[in-house]
Amino acid sequence: MAVVCPICKSSAQELPAGEATAFHCPTHGDFKVAETVFAEAKAKAKAKDYTRDQWEAALDKAEERMEADEWPLIIVDDFY
């Protein structure tokens, strides 16, 4: 099964990341998405409704919060 970037839907590589899913996207680089984002999405059928702009804004928030030598981690609050 092909993995796609949740932001831009392009082909991506999924990497192990503990309680998150890590992605290597040629457009958005390396980032992680907390499992809670996907869990909320299933519960509310919502992740499919997030627009690319909302995903990119969430990634921007995660990048602002990240520490040196870490990948940005998108959490549920980043969408609000």
Side-chain angles (χ1 to χ4, degrees):
M1 183 167 117
V3 175
V4 296
C5 172
I7 300 172
C8 65
K9 309 302 184 229
S10 65
S11 179
Q13 182 180 7
E14 186 176 328
L15 307 167
E19 293 186 12
T21 302
F23 295 91
H24 174 73
C25 171
T27 303
H28 294 97
D30 297 329
F31 64 94
K32 298 184 288 186
V33 179
E35 292 300 327
T36 54
V37 172
F38 295 122
E40 179 191 57
K42 284 183 180 178
K44 298 181 180 179
K46 197 169 186 179
K48 295 176 185 168
D49 292 339
Y50 290 137
T51 66
R52 180 174 177 160
D53 287 343
Q54 289 172 307
W55 274 104
E56 287 178 341
L59 179 59
D60 288 344
K61 288 179 183 178
E63 287 173 340
E64 290 173 8
R65 199 177 51 248
M66 74 182 196
E67 299 290 327
D69 298 325
E70 288 185 358
W71 288 10
L73 172 63
I74 297 172
I75 59 174
V76 172
D77 289 348
D78 292 331
F79 289 97
Y80 301 101

